[in-house]
């Protein structure tokens, strides 16, 4: 059985805009797409929604909402407003979820519990709009090495605690890159039953030379992707993955050469 | 109240051997030292033990044992033998503990649970010798970004689970750099009561440009060092810290200029 593959647009961000991504998915037989908001806005939300629909692609997610942490109340309010726009965009393109990257420590702050409270407050603030729009918020725990500057949401367990505080209709985005190391992963994936709203793949390279932009193609690193995908299936995930690779190396390649590789690796590991 | 400061020798590794570290601690009024095995062996264990004793320094730890993971049985047996030698060295210099950095995935492996079993097996194998020598094994969870190549022991909770499996006389080494991000830290530090055998400081820089060698001086980053030191005190740690900074930047400086900075920062945060 082949599980469906989705292209996260950041994987080819230096070469293709969203229109080219949509055409590329169709050309290479990739059935899903997950745009980032910058390429979505550049193309125009309505035009993108139409072209995606015409191409018959599943929108596995919109990347990304979140970034709730800020040094002052005005900054936090602006983040919430921006999340409201993101919810509207996710609804307009029929995205299965809005992926939430929650934000790091505010500049100059060492108050990690305080930053985590800002995230929880921000999620509570936007949840009514998300529900009204029928958009599932997918809380994405990010690797602890991003805690200072990208996400104080660091583990799947922490994301599931937040889900429980927020309600039944909030989910998690499981990216193997962010969770593979977790000694508590199997237990938390069991706990995630019914909550897995997105499943992302790439790989952890040895050595890893950049904390953000040195991800590998599935199979080029040490993550047991098949094993984690299996845990997701057991947790009710229907199967499939969105390949999301932030990598200076792969960004430099021709996407028409990268996409066949993504398909090949995806079939090997999912 | 000033808690004692200890110099981990890797902080000045490109300038000073162990004899110079011992003299430097005495000259700068630093009361503790924690050697790495390479500089200890280069000086000679007996000579080092004598000079440390004559300088009146507390040996807060020996770095490091561990590295139990290997691709084959011969490799794992060799690691255990090397740990036995490390136990002997720790006893010879009167170290309060032998710090255990447990090892990453064996080359070519994606079997993380298997690597974690190798660590547990290795610790069980050397525990009788450690007990006989009166050497406390201090299990050091390392930041998850080191999971592939340095330590599959990734969280304080995981280290404490191992302690419970091993017995009352096994401890943990808490390095703020490795644990600061953990959403479960406060609870696990409470659970660590009576187990904190070493407390290490440095800081997480924003941005962090290298996953191993870009640590900051306490105060130059975002870690709430005072807060974590307070949690250690509540867990029965008598207070004080070993400053351990792996940093190309600081290695390039004159240690006689670095040590006064370490003292100043230590007094500010511990």
């Amino acid at each position: 059985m082949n599980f469906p593959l989705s292209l996260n647009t950041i994987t080819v961000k230096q070469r293709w805009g969203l229109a080219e991504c949509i055409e590329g998915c169709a050309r290479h037989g990739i059935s899903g797409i997950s745009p980032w908001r910058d390429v979505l806005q550049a193309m125009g939300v309505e035009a993108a929604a139409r072209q995606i629909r015409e191409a018959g692609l599943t929108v596995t997610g919109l990347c990304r909402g979140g970034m709730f942490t800020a040094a002052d109340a005005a900054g936090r309010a602006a983040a919430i407003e921006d999340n409201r726009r993101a919810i509207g965009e996710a609804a307009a393109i029929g995205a299965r979820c809005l992926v939430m990257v929650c934000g790091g420590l505010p500049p100059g702050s060492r108050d990690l519990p305080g930053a985590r409270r800002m995230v929880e407050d921000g999620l509570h603030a936007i949840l009514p709009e998300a529900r009204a729009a029928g958009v599932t918020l997918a809380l994405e725990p990010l690797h602890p090495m991003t805690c200072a500057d990208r996400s104080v949401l660091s583990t799947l367990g922490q994301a599931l605690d937040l889900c429980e505080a927020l309600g039944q209709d909030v989910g998690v985005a499981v990216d193997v890159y962010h969770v593979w190391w977790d000694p508590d992963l199997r237990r938390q994936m069991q706990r995630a039953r019914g909550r897995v709203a997105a499943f992302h793949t790439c790989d952890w390279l040895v050595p890893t030379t950049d904390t953000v932009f040195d991800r590998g193609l599935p199979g080029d690193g040490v993550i047991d992707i098949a094993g984690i995908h299996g845990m997701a299936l057991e947790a009710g995930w229907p199967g499939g993955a969105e390949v999301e690779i932030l990598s200076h190396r792969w960004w430099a390649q021709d996407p028409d050469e990268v996409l066949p590789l993504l398909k090949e690796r995806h079939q090997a590991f999912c």
Side-chain angles (χ1 to χ4, degrees), chain A residues 91-264:
Chain A
I93 62 170
R96 284 195 183 158
C97 64
L98 176 62
V99 174
M100 306 302 287
V101 174
C102 290
L105 287 169
S109 169
R110 294 191 181 105
D111 181 7
L112 187 50
R116 286 171 169 158
R117 279 192 299 274
M118 289 180 198
V119 169
E120 184 161 4
D121 291 347
L123 288 167
H124 275 289
I126 65 167
L127 190 53
E129 281 90 344
R131 283 187 173 137
V135 169
T136 299
L137 302 180
L139 312 189
E140 182 170 23
L142 254 61
H143 195 288
M145 72 184 170
T146 72
C147 187
D149 47 8
R150 276 182 171 68
S151 175
V152 295
L153 185 61
S154 306
T155 65
L156 184 56
Q158 186 191 0
L160 292 168
D161 287 348
L162 263 179
C163 283
E164 287 176 5
L166 290 162
Q168 274 306 318
D169 50 350
V170 177
V172 293
V174 175
D175 185 319
V176 298
Y177 192 77
H178 295 307
V179 304
W180 74 276
W181 58 271
D182 188 345
D184 205 25
L185 183 60
R186 181 169 289 279
R187 193 171 70 91
Q188 295 298 339
M189 286 296 287
Q190 288 167 350
R191 198 182 148 207
R193 171 161 283 283
R195 296 270 192 195
V196 182
F199 188 83
H200 298 180
T201 58
C202 64
D203 215 333
W204 181 279
L205 300 178
V206 180
T208 284
T209 59
D210 186 294
T211 59
V212 184
F213 302 120
D214 190 30
R215 301 191 190 182
L217 240 54
D220 285 348
V222 300
I223 301 176
D224 178 14
I225 297 171
I228 301 174
H229 185 252
M231 292 181 207
L233 293 178
E234 288 170 18
W237 173 244
E242 182 180 314
V243 181
E244 183 186 35
I245 298 168
L246 290 79
S247 159
H248 290 301
R249 174 184 167 192
W250 292 105
W251 285 334
Q253 308 294 314
D254 177 356
D256 275 312
E257 292 174 9
V258 175
L259 266 56
L261 273 175
L262 298 185
K263 284 183 67 177
E264 180 188 310

